Amino acid sequence: MFRRSFNRFCAGEEKRVGTRTVFVGNHPVSETEAYIAQRFCDNRIVSSKYTLWNFLPKNLFEQFRRIANFYFLIIFLVQVTVDTPTSPVTSGLPLFFVITVTAIKQGYEDWLRHRADNEVNKSTVYIIENAKRVRKESEKIKVGDVVEVQADETFPCDLILLSSCTSDGTCYVTTASLDGESNCKTHYAVRDTIALCTAESIDTLRAAIECEQPQPDLYKFVGRINIYSNSLEAVARSLGPENLLLKGATLKNTKKIYGVAVYTGMETKMALNYQGKSQKRSAVEKSINAFLIVYLFILLAKAAVCTTLKYVWQSTPYNDEPWYNQKTQKERETLKVLKMFTDFLSFMVLFNFIIPVSMYVTVEMQKFLGSFFISWDKDFYDEEINEGALVNTSDLNEELGQVDYIFTDKTGTLTENSMEFIECCIDGHKYKGVAPETDGLSQTDGPLTYFDKADKNREELFLRALCLCHTVEVKTSDAVDGPPESAELTYMSSSPDEIALVKGAKKYGFTFVGIRNGHMRVENQRKEIEVLQDQAAETIEALHAAGLKVWVLTGDKMETAKSTCYACRLFQTSTELLELTTKTIEESERKEDRLHELLIEYRKKLLHDFPKSTRSLKKAWTEHQEYGLIIDGSTLSLILNSSQDSSSNNYKSIFLQICMKCTAVLCCRMAPLQKAQIVRMVKNLKGSPITLSIGDGANDVSMILESHVGIGIKGKEGRQAARNSDYAVPKFKHLKKLLLAHGHLYYVRIAHLVQYFFYKNLCFILPQFLYQFFCGFSQQPLYDAAYLTMYNICFTSLPILAYSLLEQHINIDTLASDPRLYMKISDNAMLQLGPFLYWTFLAAFEGTVFFFGTYFLFQTSSLEENAKVYGNWTFGTIVFTVLVFTVTLKLALDTRFWTWINHFVIWGSLAFYVFFSFFWGGIIWPFLKQQRMYFVFAQMLSSVSTWLAIVLLIFISLFPEILLIVLKNVRRRSARRNLSCKRASDSLSARPSVRPLLLRTFSDESNIL
């Protein structure tokens, strides 16, 4: 008995590798054999990242992956364990603040994801148990349960259709949230279960379903159902995609259906197409990490130099142990190697402020507060849905200004999710609009050949054809009184084009009322165009002009998608299209050989026609032949999953080379997971281009999560895309301002913030390093502890925060109207090596001026009228005063867009520093062991020579910057004069013409950054 059970268990496990067996209603098919319930996953959907138990360790692990956080943790531990010249509070408090704020922010965002999951998992469903409808939560559904779904409800899991309220066992389903297609699809029940339309009858069914294990292909399903009865042997019926109802799809125009759950929870096809959320990091953050590594090496070099020179200095006995500072016995017995290591760590702590941990606090605040500008922008407000833009994560604001590739869905994104009858042509005559007359159509456009209307009989024949040549079915709502014709008609069809045509004919008095007497009509091959979203074409033109590549990834048919691309101006009339579709490769018996031939042919064409210059490809698109690529899902699978022989293992490489040379790419008949694969493939290109995905349905979620930046459209297909995106906007047209204006400004602001932080901290620490050469490398601090702590937190933090929130180096309207400005900051231009070295050398110059300017001032024996001599704390205070004023005024020179807030924080910060210095040095503080700063600041400012020295040193430090600004202004004025002269000469010879956006003359502001 045990062996039999063991063999059966093992056989079942072996069978689960390729297939699974599902017992309908979880009833055994035979009363003689014991029923052993199989284990499948539950029906819970999980999109959250943390749980209550793993939040703390997982979040801390992710945060300490940041170089700065890990570094300051080490510094804090060193300060706690080793006798260092500064208090552990100076590094521990800012680190604790950063970790806490970030954890709260990420915890809140994950709580929102938990809440969204619970909305789905706790939704109400009805299960048939013991011939009764039992109300349960969606997450309680098990594989094998029989589920009742009613009209307009979403299927809670993947179901095999058993029966419906219709006599033929059919139901209508929309899968817009899965594949983007908004038309109704017909699904069928097997004929043996059609009659089981009640809870009592469906509970009598004894059947087992054998089907494949879960896999993500939406259009593939293979299985069979074995139906058992008391008197007859099992009847087997095949199952295919037409019998499978997918989770996320919606039941339409059918009162109710019964289905058995075959895939649940994270094993449903929708969940398998869901790309799990990963931590997205912007290009700016990567640059920050690179800068931190550079500055860390500078820090290590400083500590190593000072440690070495300290022991060179102490090689002289008098310097090693002067009479006023005798060593203790313990110090004399300490190993020299250990003492050197301790000194090295002490110097690390002394210079650790060169790594700006407070920068992370400011960056987090800038991103959080800056994100409100998107939400507050009135241009993003849509009156239809009464909503504006939504920011789901503020970590990627600056990434909006660095996008290279845009991947967009078609249905509901580039197009409205609706079909309309716009115009028609009858016998060469163009007709448009609804006719108020009763005798035919109104003519709103001139005829194509002559100015008569078409014959009335021809008009009626045309409208009659629209009414009769289609596959539309009619659903009649129940009429309380009157004949059936008085009831309201609802049209159903697998093609929204046909519904648009029938409704168009209805407007002109020809109404289709349904099929009578079983008479079939001939299908009309004419198709109507889909409505473009408002300004979609203008938006794509602007994005192309900004140097961005736009790819359309859609589950729709090639013909429809191709027409939309032309309408949206993704493809121009001059664009040469290269096709890699099932149609083009089926001409040969071996598809892979034909595919390889086409890939080689297209690559040769592009390499021959495309410029070989080393200029940026973005600038070359406007001057040379444009190419567009069309590929479908089947061909893409062939490329990605090609065999590994020598002739085909480079398919992917050649395909990518072709894509990079094309200005636009159309990918049609794409499954959701394929969309994500394409995005991932482009992300991994050389140079790691920044990708953005935009869509409105659940079928777009995977690519939205895969790309660097995900944009959700608040469309008609639900809010799955909007909930899983980084940003959500009502319309595709809003992408233009979001990238060209907001993205541009966000990037410029935060790039300046990052460079400024490293600059002001190098200015801060370089005098401290130079001071060690004059104090015997004794680790004596140059600045008071209060100044060390307050420098980044209070004295210099608010001006740069205000700048990073409000600065507009170019007017926002100019940025939105002049797309080429976007190229000025592409490829992370402001955080490259050149700007970084400029800021570093500027800081080194100013830090040297601060220290040696004050040092030369101290060469006089006394600075006061009463012949008193200033001490080391006065020396450090003068350096610190020049430092604070210089770095703050440097930011004032950089500001182009002044507001009252900028004035308040800049001049207010300087005033606060002066007030704090008087206050800090004007009182004897009982909790301080040494009153070393008592009356130092007031006494320092009593000297006229000190005042003159401070003003002179500030001017000398800022002189290179002032000179550079003057030269830029002279050059800018010269360029404006030349441009005005050119415009004046052009206006004399110019004639009225309509030019494409790419060839428009750009404003003079485009040369200003």
Side-chain angles (χ1 to χ4, degrees):
M1 186 70 178
F2 173 80
R3 180 179 299 178
R4 181 180 178 183
S5 300
F6 179 78
N7 289 340
R8 183 172 182 177
F9 175 79
C10 292
E13 288 299 309
E14 183 179 357
K15 191 173 185 179
R16 278 170 58 90
V17 174
T19 62
R20 62 168 51 184
T21 301
V22 177
F23 296 99
V24 177
N26 289 311
H27 299 307
V29 296
S30 174
E31 297 181 356
T32 58
E33 293 188 16
Y35 169 66
I36 301 178
Q38 300 186 35
R39 291 186 177 181
F40 301 104
C41 73
D42 57 28
N43 200 40
R44 284 182 299 168
I45 292 294
V46 180
S47 63
S48 55
K49 189 176 180 181
Y50 304 107
T51 65
L52 186 63
W53 309 109
N54 70 8
F55 173 75
L56 192 61
K58 191 173 182 179
N59 186 265
L60 288 177
F61 173 76
E62 289 180 348
Q63 290 207 57
F64 282 113
R65 287 170 59 188
R66 285 181 169 178
I67 296 175
N69 289 349
F70 182 73
Y71 163 78
F72 273 94
L73 176 64
I74 298 298
I75 291 296
F76 174 73
L77 295 177
V78 169
Q79 287 178 302
V80 170
T81 56
V82 179
D83 184 19
T84 57
T86 56
S87 169
V89 177
T90 57
S91 60
L93 190 61
L95 177 64
F96 176 78
F97 180 75
V98 171
I99 296 297
T100 304
V101 170
T102 306
I104 292 173
K105 176 189 169 190
Q106 293 179 352
Y108 173 73
E109 291 176 350
D110 199 63
W111 175 77
L112 294 178
R113 289 191 285 269
H114 273 283
R115 190 173 67 175
D117 289 343
N118 285 333
E119 288 180 7
V120 177
N121 295 332
K122 302 296 184 182
S123 60
T124 301
V125 295
Y126 287 95
I127 311 297
I128 305 302
E129 290 183 355
N130 301 321
K132 295 181 180 179
R133 294 172 73 245
V134 179
R135 181 175 177 175
K136 286 189 176 182
E137 295 176 344
S138 176
E139 64 182 1
K140 301 292 180 60
I141 296 177
K142 304 187 298 293
V143 171
D145 284 347
V146 176
V147 183
E148 178 186 296
V149 181
Q150 297 185 356
D152 298 321
E153 291 183 349
T154 300
F155 300 119
C157 57
D158 290 351
L159 304 169
I160 292 294
L161 179 60
L162 297 176
S163 63
S164 73
C165 62
T166 60
S167 58
D168 58 356
T170 60
C171 70
Y172 298 97
V173 171
T174 58
T175 58
S177 63
L178 294 172
D179 56 13
E181 296 186 10
S182 56
N183 54 299
C184 288
K185 297 181 175 66
T186 306
H187 286 256
Y188 305 89
V190 292
R191 63 175 182 266
D192 303 84
T193 62
I194 288 176
L196 306 177
C197 328
T198 63
E200 293 79 9
S201 59
I202 202 74
D203 194 58
T204 63
L205 177 64
R206 297 296 180 267
I209 296 175
E210 296 178 1
C211 60
E212 60 188 359
Q213 289 288 8
Q215 52 98 2
D217 194 333
L218 297 177
Y219 309 107
K220 181 183 176 184
F221 177 76
V222 178
R224 68 176 181 180
I225 181 171
N226 298 314
I227 303 171
Y228 297 85
S229 61
N230 295 330
S231 57
L232 302 176
E233 295 183 356
V235 177
R237 302 295 182 195
S238 62
L239 299 173
E242 69 278 4
N243 308 114
L244 183 65
L245 305 174
L246 299 178
K247 177 182 175 64
T250 304
L251 183 65
K252 290 290 184 181
N253 305 322
T254 310
K255 289 185 177 179
K256 71 174 179 180
I257 63 100
Y258 291 105
V260 57
V262 288
Y263 305 128
T264 53
M266 301 307 290
E267 290 184 343
T268 59
K269 288 183 179 289
M270 181 177 124
L272 292 176
N273 276 279
Y274 176 83
Q275 187 76 15
K277 280 211 170 190
S278 59
Q279 186 72 22
K280 293 184 178 182
R281 299 191 184 277
S282 67
V284 169
E285 187 169 346
K286 294 175 184 176
S287 297
I288 291 175
N289 289 338
F291 294 168
L292 284 174
I293 292 175
V294 173
Y295 272 73
L296 185 59
F297 277 108
I298 294 176
L299 173 63
L300 293 172
K302 283 184 176 182
V305 168
C306 287
T307 303
T308 303
L309 293 180
K310 176 178 181 177
Y311 284 90
V312 172
W313 166 266
Q314 291 182 350
S315 60
T316 304
Y318 175 78
N319 294 333
D320 182 35
E321 193 173 356
W323 61 270
Y324 56 84
N325 190 18
Q326 296 289 321
K327 292 182 179 179
T328 64
Q329 187 64 29
K330 184 178 180 180
E331 288 176 332
R332 293 192 183 98
E333 294 175 354
T334 303
L335 290 175
K336 192 170 185 179
V337 175
L338 181 60
K339 188 68 172 69
M340 291 178 68
F341 179 69
T342 304
D343 286 334
F344 177 78
L345 293 179
S346 297
F347 279 117
M348 287 276 291
V349 171
L350 187 64
F351 302 143
N352 82 85
F353 290 94
I354 197 174
I355 307 294
V357 68
S358 59
M359 178 181 66
Y360 278 97
V361 181
T362 310
V363 166
E364 291 289 338
M365 292 179 65
Q366 190 269 350
K367 289 183 175 183
F368 176 72
L369 296 176
S371 63
F372 286 103
F373 290 116
I374 294 178
S375 304
W376 292 338
D377 195 323
K378 295 181 180 179
D379 291 339
F380 294 153
Y381 180 78
D382 185 73
E383 294 182 354
E384 277 187 43
I385 61 175
N386 198 28
E387 291 183 39
L390 175 67
V391 179
N392 292 324
T393 176
S394 58
D395 292 336
L396 304 170
N397 294 342
E398 65 277 8
E399 205 81 331
L400 295 170
Q402 292 296 296
V403 176
D404 297 304
Y405 287 83
I406 294 178
F407 301 93
T408 175
D409 181 37
K410 182 189 74 68
T411 307
T413 304
L414 290 179
T415 63
E416 297 283 357
N417 227 353
S418 61
M419 293 286 184
E420 292 182 7
F421 183 94
I422 298 176
E423 62 183 30
C424 61
C425 180
I426 304 174
D427 276 357
H429 298 267
K430 220 175 185 181
Y431 295 86
K432 188 174 184 179
V434 180
E437 302 91 353
T438 58
D439 62 345
L441 292 93
S442 63
Q443 184 179 3
T444 59
D445 272 347
L448 298 181
T449 54
Y450 48 89
F451 290 91
D452 313 5
K453 290 181 65 175
D455 183 74
K456 183 175 181 180
N457 293 330
R458 303 292 290 174
E459 290 180 351
E460 291 184 356
L461 178 63
F462 175 81
L463 292 173
R464 195 176 294 116
L466 289 187
C467 279
L468 301 177
C469 300
H470 51 71
T471 59
V472 174
E473 297 181 14
V474 176
K475 175 189 175 184
T476 307
S477 60
D478 297 333
V480 179
D481 293 312
E485 288 78 3
S486 65
E488 183 181 350
L489 301 177
T490 302
Y491 293 123
M492 300 181 298
S493 174
S494 61
S495 170
D497 311 330
E498 292 185 337
I499 295 177
L501 294 174
V502 172
K503 287 183 176 180
K506 184 179 178 182
K507 291 179 181 179
Y508 300 110
F510 289 77
T511 304
F512 174 64
V513 294
I515 299 176
R516 302 291 177 87
N517 302 322
H519 186 68
M520 302 298 296
R521 305 296 180 180
V522 179
E523 182 181 4
N524 180 24
Q525 297 300 319
R526 173 182 167 84
K527 292 190 176 180
E528 188 56 64
I529 63 171
E530 229 177 334
V531 182
L532 305 171
Q533 278 204 10
D534 183 29
Q535 299 182 20
E538 291 81 358
T539 301
I540 288 183
E541 272 194 334
L543 295 175
H544 272 301
L548 304 177
K549 285 191 174 183
V550 181
W551 292 25
V552 175
L553 312 182
T554 178
D556 214 337
K557 301 174 184 177
M558 187 184 78
E559 293 79 8
T560 309
K562 188 175 175 181
S563 300
T564 303
C565 289
Y566 273 112
C568 292
R569 302 177 202 167
L570 184 71
F571 294 153
Q572 305 290 339
T573 54
S574 60
T575 303
E576 183 174 343
L577 297 182
L578 311 176
E579 291 190 12
L580 289 173
T581 60
T582 306
K583 183 179 179 181
T584 57
I585 65 174
E586 280 183 346
E587 299 173 359
S588 174
E589 293 183 0
R590 275 188 55 83
K591 294 182 179 180
E592 289 194 357
D593 291 342
R594 176 57 181 162
L595 176 60
H596 189 258
E597 291 175 6
L598 287 174
L599 288 172
I600 297 298
E601 177 186 340
Y602 292 161
R603 183 174 66 172
K604 286 182 178 178
K605 177 188 288 288
L606 289 168
L607 291 177
H608 179 266
D609 293 347
F610 215 79
K612 297 182 180 179
S613 63
T614 57
R615 293 185 307 158
S616 171
L617 292 179
K618 297 178 180 180
K619 298 179 181 178
W621 293 340
T622 62
E623 303 171 8
H624 297 270
Q625 170 66 45
E626 290 188 2
Y627 288 91
L629 177 68
I630 300 178
I631 185 171
D632 59 15
S634 300
T635 309
L636 180 67
S637 297
L638 202 59
I639 290 174
L640 298 179
N641 305 317
S642 58
S643 58
Q644 297 301 314
D645 56 73
S646 58
S647 63
S648 60
N649 57 7
N650 60 345
Y651 281 1
K652 184 177 178 181
S653 175
I654 300 175
F655 173 68
L656 288 174
Q657 292 177 38
I658 294 172
C659 290
M660 291 181 67
K661 301 290 185 181
C662 293
T663 55
V665 178
L666 168 61
C667 303
C668 48
R669 305 305 288 172
M670 291 282 126
L673 207 56
Q674 284 183 310
K675 293 183 178 184
Q677 288 176 333
I678 291 176
V679 175
R680 189 183 308 117
M681 182 175 62
V682 174
K683 279 173 61 177
N684 294 330
L685 286 173
K686 184 178 179 181
S688 301
I690 305 300
T691 58
L692 179 148
S693 294
I694 180 169
D696 70 323
N699 59 316
D700 303 314
V701 170
S702 292
M703 74 170 182
I704 285 174
L705 295 176
E706 180 61 42
S707 60
H708 293 93
V709 183
I711 309 290
I713 300 289
K714 298 178 178 180
K716 300 178 181 179
E717 297 181 8
R719 294 298 174 92
Q720 294 94 332
R723 283 200 301 263
N724 287 276
S725 64
D726 303 306
Y727 305 89
V729 292
K731 299 288 185 183
F732 180 80
K733 67 178 181 180
H734 297 141
L735 189 64
K736 176 182 175 182
K737 186 176 184 182
L738 185 65
L739 297 186
L740 303 187
H742 286 284
H744 187 119
L745 290 176
Y746 280 134
Y747 173 76
V748 171
R749 290 164 179 169
I750 201 167
H752 198 282
L753 182 151
V754 170
Q755 297 280 28
Y756 179 80
F757 254 96
F758 283 104
Y759 149 81
K760 73 183 183 71
N761 276 37
L762 183 56
C763 289
F764 181 41
I765 288 302
L766 184 59
Q768 176 72 76
F769 171 71
L770 296 174
Y771 185 60
Q772 297 305 305
F773 288 83
F774 297 86
C775 67
F777 306 97
S778 61
Q779 300 156 12
Q780 169 67 34
L782 175 63
Y783 311 116
D784 181 65
Y787 287 159
L788 284 173
T789 305
M790 301 282 282
Y791 176 72
N792 281 316
I793 296 177
C794 298
F795 299 149
T796 61
S797 59
L798 288 181
I800 184 58
L801 178 60
Y803 176 95
S804 63
L805 289 173
L806 303 173
E807 175 63 9
Q808 293 184 31
H809 63 294
I810 301 176
N811 183 271
I812 192 169
D813 295 327
T814 303
L815 290 173
S817 61
D818 194 348
R820 296 186 75 174
L821 291 172
Y822 194 82
M823 286 193 284
K824 299 282 186 180
I825 60 166
S826 62
D827 301 322
N828 205 11
M830 295 182 66
L831 292 175
Q832 294 295 336
L833 182 61
F836 174 70
L837 291 178
Y838 167 77
W839 282 90
T840 301
F841 284 121
L842 182 64
F845 166 76
E846 293 181 0
T848 305
V849 170
F850 300 159
F851 181 81
F852 285 106
T854 307
Y855 176 77
F856 290 134
L857 176 66
F858 268 65
Q859 295 306 300
T860 58
S861 58
S862 95
L863 294 174
E864 294 190 71
E865 296 178 357
N866 58 7
K868 288 184 179 179
V869 178
Y870 283 162
N872 64 308
W873 294 115
T874 304
F875 179 87
T877 303
I878 294 176
V879 173
F880 191 80
T881 302
V882 176
L883 163 71
V884 171
F885 273 80
T886 300
V887 298
T888 304
L889 293 175
K890 157 74 169 115
L891 193 63
L893 291 174
D894 291 340
T895 302
R896 299 287 179 271
F897 185 76
W898 284 91
T899 66
W900 68 267
I901 298 177
N902 297 91
H903 284 288
F904 178 78
V905 296
I906 287 177
W907 314 123
S909 294
L910 295 178
F912 175 73
Y913 165 69
V914 175
F915 169 78
F916 175 83
S917 297
F918 275 115
F919 180 71
W920 181 246
I923 299 176
I924 297 178
W925 299 98
F927 55 85
L928 294 178
K929 296 180 180 179
Q930 300 174 344
Q931 305 294 329
R932 55 195 181 192
M933 292 300 294
Y934 180 67
F935 218 63
V936 167
F937 191 78
Q939 188 179 24
M940 178 191 78
L941 294 183
S942 65
S943 170
V944 176
S945 57
T946 303
W947 276 92
L948 293 175
I950 291 175
V951 173
L952 180 63
L953 290 179
I954 292 173
F955 176 77
I956 294 174
S957 300
L958 294 177
F959 180 75
E961 194 72 13
I962 296 172
L963 183 62
L964 188 62
I965 291 174
V966 171
L967 293 175
K968 283 183 178 180
N969 286 333
V970 172
R971 183 181 177 185
R972 187 179 298 117
R973 289 172 183 171
S974 176
R976 284 178 178 174
R977 283 196 300 268
N978 294 337
L979 186 61
S980 299
C981 294
K982 184 179 179 182
R983 284 177 174 174
S985 61
D986 291 344
S987 63
L988 295 176
S989 57
R991 59 182 181 181
S993 62
V994 178
R995 294 177 293 172
L997 180 63
L998 295 180
L999 300 181
R1000 290 179 188 165
T1001 303
F1002 294 94
S1003 61
D1004 60 307
E1005 286 87 356
S1006 63
N1007 297 317
I1008 304 170
L1009 182 58

